[in-house]
Amino acid sequence: MNVLELSEQEINRRNNLQALKDMGIEPYPAAEYPTNAFSTDIISNFVDLPVIGKDEEGNDVRETATPENSRQVSIAGRIMGRRIMGKAGFAELQDSKGRIQVYVQRDAICPEENKDLYNTVFKKLLDLGDFIGVKGYVFRTKTGEISVHAQELTVLAKSLKPLPVVKEKDGQVFDAFEDPELRYRQRYVDLIVNNGVKDTFLKRATIIRTLRRILDENGYTEVETPTLQSIAGGASARPFITHFNALNIPMYMRIATELYLKRLIVGGFEGVYEIGKNFRNEGMDKTHNPEFTCMELYISYKDLNWGMDFTEKMLEEICTAVNGKPEVEIDGNIISFKAPFRRLPILDAIKEKTGYDLYPMTEDEIREVAKKLGIEVDETMGKGKLIDEIFGETCEGSFLQPTFITDYPVEMSPLTKMHRSKPGLTERFELMVNGKELANAYSELNDPIDQEQRFVDQMKLADKGDDEAMIIDHDFLRALQYGMPPTFGIGIGIDRLVMLLTGKFAIGEVMLFPQMKPEVKAPKDPVSKFVEVGFAEEIVPVLNKAGYNLVATLAGGNAQKIQQQIGEIIKKYKLDIQKPSVDELNAIIAKIG
């Protein structure tokens, strides 16, 4: 990397890196550094030494902490703060659990005559963000802070980029690293400097771990199905398309795992589930990401009614595992996952909110209702899509507490069993919580003849211009013809579940690395373009450092000022480069025009 591309702090850190090497200290050692404690455990398990008397003011005087009478620990972490006070200093060490203060006394870590480890390494060559290992004993300082008295200090890794300095005083945070664009793009920095970020992802891990435990304990088998599929099926969504070179065929990133999991039910599995990534080439907003995590579960001989009972009990248990109780507070509202949840047919929900009874209406009549409600629709939308739009615009956001929306029209549910008592409807529910869909579930359609006709109807919608309509999966139809038992199936969006249980409002807050737009960089002409107008190749990085990234920015410039800027940079960075003369610069500026 060219030195001119570095900031002054980055140059200083690289100089410190070299100084460590010159002292014979390996800044990135390969050997294991054994640890036996975490910061939070040291603090929570601390026991004060015995009281041996009183001082002049009547305060307890305790036995002096020494290596012999105190707990010995070996810890490692990142330096997040440092205070030097002559022959002693303090460092704030951050490990994977939290932070703890380390007291570094010169003669304790340098018992021999050579004091370089303290005087040079600790005081001058270590920077905030560096990793160190510390062996020592635990004690309480005079100000009452539980700390580690260092007896050994080891450099474990040098940080070459400075961290954002987030300051906190009297509970108020200053210079916070809070821009979502930077936080999501540089999640590693976000995790280091922002309290609570790691906790969100630890809770996410707890959610998935608890979900998996519940499913395993019920006897269901976790499986893996293809991510690359020849037909993007199992949901209504626009897929990502790629090309399989070895077979010379187009392939799709999966939009759902449903059709492959149901093939396994055909094959004789009692219950199967998969927790994995799905991909939908659609919009991005606070609740949608094109790559997302979903759990899909299919169980033989179960139906929708059983599924609602199972789902509400499962979510109650997961919420309790994460938050210690079956409820969570979001934006001042208490959302309770205590079973049972409300159950409401979708057309009843629409009638409840709008006054329109859509059940007896034709497609054209429903389209007119949508227009009256101010909802943008077009002729490509079938009956199901129209109902979906009306529900989404008028009802969905109003369900704060967990609510099963049931009895969807058949046009909206091409993979769902017909309702056993309500013609034209299906045995399906969507679980709404805090105004968003959390789960989608069916009594699965297992009639191969009916399923084939539903696929045909979907293709008619595709012919009308619906690019989210399902494609006929002939192999899946063939599987159904071998016979699939009555089956309940459900999909739960893991990212939205984590949002709910952690009280987050943006999906980027619960995904470690959400999709981002390409990083915007300032336009910059190639070196060859500067050379064309007369600059030496070696002077181009100096011009860039001075802010001249485009040749055009030099047009009409002051040659003397430009020469002065070049000279200052050459001097500051001690570059062995000859700066151009004022006459040479004037000639170049004239050539640029």
Side-chain angles (χ1 to χ4, degrees):
M1 178 177 284
N2 192 308
V3 68
L4 295 176
E5 297 177 17
L6 302 174
S7 68
E8 191 167 341
Q9 284 194 62
E10 289 174 309
I11 292 170
N12 288 338
R13 285 169 180 255
R14 288 172 185 250
N15 290 338
N16 290 344
L17 174 75
Q18 187 58 50
L20 287 171
K21 291 179 178 179
D22 293 343
M23 292 178 67
I25 296 172
E26 172 53 60
Y28 305 103
E32 174 193 8
Y33 188 85
T35 61
N36 61 13
F38 290 106
S39 56
T40 51
D41 301 329
I42 293 172
I43 293 169
S44 62
N45 296 329
F46 180 77
V47 177
D48 278 309
L49 292 170
V51 176
I52 57 175
K54 299 282 186 179
D55 62 16
E56 294 177 357
E57 298 176 356
N59 298 314
D60 289 342
V61 175
R62 296 185 180 276
E63 186 178 329
T64 302
T66 66
E68 291 72 32
N69 66 8
S70 303
R71 180 186 175 190
Q72 292 281 331
V73 295
S74 176
I75 61 173
R78 191 186 290 271
I79 300 174
M80 298 301 291
R82 185 175 52 173
R83 305 191 309 278
I84 305 295
M85 298 171 291
K87 297 180 182 180
F90 291 93
E92 185 178 25
L93 202 68
Q94 177 173 291
D95 61 17
S96 62
K97 296 286 186 70
R99 296 186 181 188
I100 193 167
Q101 180 173 269
V102 175
Y103 176 63
V104 183
Q105 200 266 338
R106 187 192 67 182
D107 294 334
I109 65 168
C110 305
E112 306 297 330
E113 186 175 341
N114 187 331
K115 309 296 182 183
D116 285 347
L117 182 59
Y118 180 83
N119 291 337
T120 303
V121 177
F122 181 71
K123 289 177 68 173
K124 299 176 182 178
L125 301 184
L126 289 181
D127 296 290
L128 299 187
D130 290 352
F131 280 89
I132 60 171
V134 172
K135 294 180 181 178
Y137 59 92
V138 185
F139 75 112
R140 190 189 292 275
T141 65
K142 291 180 180 178
T143 60
E145 185 166 353
I146 299 167
S147 307
V148 175
H149 192 305
Q151 293 177 288
E152 294 181 25
L153 186 149
T154 305
V155 178
L156 297 179
K158 193 87 182 80
S159 171
L160 299 183
K161 278 191 174 293
L163 291 167
V165 179
V166 180
K167 301 172 185 175
E168 188 172 347
K169 184 177 181 181
D170 299 328
Q172 190 172 357
V173 177
F174 302 89
D175 301 321
F177 185 69
E178 59 186 9
D179 181 354
E181 172 80 12
L182 287 174
R183 289 182 52 234
Y184 300 166
R185 195 179 299 282
Q186 300 180 34
R187 183 66 85 187
Y188 37 88
V189 177
D190 187 31
L191 288 163
I192 295 168
V193 303
N194 285 329
N195 293 329
V197 174
K198 185 182 290 183
D199 291 340
T200 296
F201 294 101
L202 292 175
K203 286 184 176 181
R204 182 184 177 112
T206 299
I207 289 167
I208 295 174
R209 183 168 58 248
T210 306
L211 173 62
R212 181 175 274 117
R213 175 183 58 76
I214 293 169
L215 298 178
D216 289 345
E217 288 178 353
N218 277 274
Y220 310 134
T221 303
E222 184 173 10
V223 297
E224 294 174 298
T225 60
T227 301
L228 284 175
Q229 301 180 355
S230 58
I231 293 175
S236 296
R238 186 182 297 115
F240 285 91
I241 304 173
T242 185
H243 189 80
F244 198 141
N245 289 336
L247 298 178
N248 193 28
I249 57 172
M251 296 290 281
Y252 303 90
M253 301 292 285
R254 72 182 179 199
I255 59 175
T257 56
E258 176 168 345
L259 300 187
Y260 279 93
L261 292 173
K262 286 200 275 194
R263 284 172 169 91
L264 298 178
I265 296 295
V266 171
F269 280 89
E270 180 84 7
V272 291
Y273 73 94
E274 182 168 7
I275 301 173
K277 296 286 189 181
N278 290 340
F279 307 86
R280 297 183 183 179
N281 198 359
E282 299 172 342
M284 296 172 61
D285 57 33
K286 287 191 173 183
T287 58
H288 294 87
N289 194 72
E291 175 185 357
F292 62 97
T293 304
C294 188
M295 185 286 296
E296 289 200 42
L297 167 70
Y298 295 85
I299 311 165
S300 302
Y301 313 116
K302 306 298 184 185
D303 69 356
L304 195 75
N305 296 319
W306 177 92
M308 284 189 279
D309 293 340
F310 179 81
T311 301
E312 58 195 11
K313 291 173 185 174
M314 177 172 66
L315 291 176
E316 180 180 344
E317 186 172 344
I318 292 171
C319 184
T320 302
V322 174
N323 295 314
K325 54 187 177 181
E327 57 188 34
V328 62
E329 182 175 344
I330 301 177
D331 198 23
N333 296 310
I334 301 298
I335 295 176
S336 174
F337 283 91
K338 185 74 176 175
F341 303 164
R342 185 188 182 195
R343 303 178 185 192
L344 179 65
I346 186 171
L347 297 182
D348 288 357
I350 292 173
K351 185 177 179 180
E352 189 177 279
K353 295 296 179 182
T354 70
Y356 289 102
D357 184 1
L358 304 186
Y359 183 76
M361 292 187 185
T362 65
E363 179 181 312
D364 290 337
E365 289 171 332
I366 294 173
R367 186 175 284 107
E368 288 306 311
V369 168
K371 291 176 181 177
K372 289 177 183 178
L373 292 169
I375 299 170
E376 189 174 332
V377 295
D378 58 53
E379 298 304 315
T380 69
M381 294 181 176
K383 189 174 181 180
K385 198 77 176 280
L386 291 167
I387 292 172
D388 194 27
E389 286 294 318
I390 292 171
F391 177 79
E393 291 294 326
T394 64
C395 303
E396 184 173 320
S398 65
F399 294 107
L400 180 68
Q401 299 300 330
T403 304
F404 291 117
I405 302 298
T406 65
D407 301 350
Y408 282 72
V410 64
E411 294 86 354
M412 298 177 66
S413 313
L415 299 170
T416 313
K417 212 182 254 293
M418 294 296 291
H419 200 287
R420 67 194 76 175
S421 62
K422 298 178 182 179
L425 303 181
T426 60
E427 298 209 346
R428 172 187 177 186
F429 74 69
E430 287 189 348
L431 177 60
M432 300 294 168
V433 190
N434 198 36
K436 295 294 179 183
E437 175 197 340
L438 176 62
N440 190 13
Y442 314 146
S443 290
E444 298 294 337
L445 179 59
N446 60 343
D447 179 341
I449 297 174
D450 189 0
Q451 180 65 84
E452 184 173 10
Q453 184 58 49
R454 303 270 195 100
F455 276 143
V456 170
D457 292 341
Q458 283 284 300
M459 293 306 293
K460 289 177 182 177
L461 292 175
D463 292 339
K464 289 175 65 175
D466 187 347
D467 58 3
E468 294 184 355
M470 290 191 194
I471 301 171
I472 297 178
D473 187 334
H474 291 286
D475 180 68
F476 175 65
L477 288 174
R478 178 169 57 191
L480 282 187
Q481 290 171 27
Y482 282 97
M484 185 176 85
T487 298
F488 166 75
I490 185 172
I492 295 177
I494 297 298
D495 308 299
R496 286 195 182 175
L497 179 58
V498 178
M499 288 173 66
L500 280 168
L501 298 186
T502 58
K504 303 299 180 184
F505 295 97
I507 197 169
E509 295 290 335
V510 300
M511 304 180 78
L512 280 168
F513 301 103
Q515 297 296 327
M516 304 289 292
K517 293 179 181 178
E519 196 167 355
V520 177
K521 295 185 178 180
K524 191 175 184 180
D525 283 336
V527 173
S528 59
K529 196 163 183 178
F530 285 89
V531 174
E532 284 175 11
V533 297
F535 285 109
E537 185 174 328
E538 63 183 7
I539 210 71
V540 176
V542 180
L543 287 166
N544 294 158
K545 188 70 175 178
Y548 301 106
N549 290 322
L550 301 172
V551 170
T553 57
L554 291 157
N558 183 309
Q560 194 165 355
K561 179 183 177 183
I562 294 170
Q563 189 202 44
Q564 181 181 353
Q565 289 174 304
I566 292 172
E568 288 172 352
I569 292 171
I570 289 173
K571 181 179 179 182
K572 180 177 180 179
Y573 291 93
K574 301 176 182 178
L575 304 175
D576 186 18
I577 297 175
Q578 182 66 40
K579 66 181 179 182
S581 68
V582 172
D583 289 341
E584 288 171 330
L585 287 171
N586 273 322
I588 292 171
I589 291 169
K591 187 176 179 180
I592 295 170

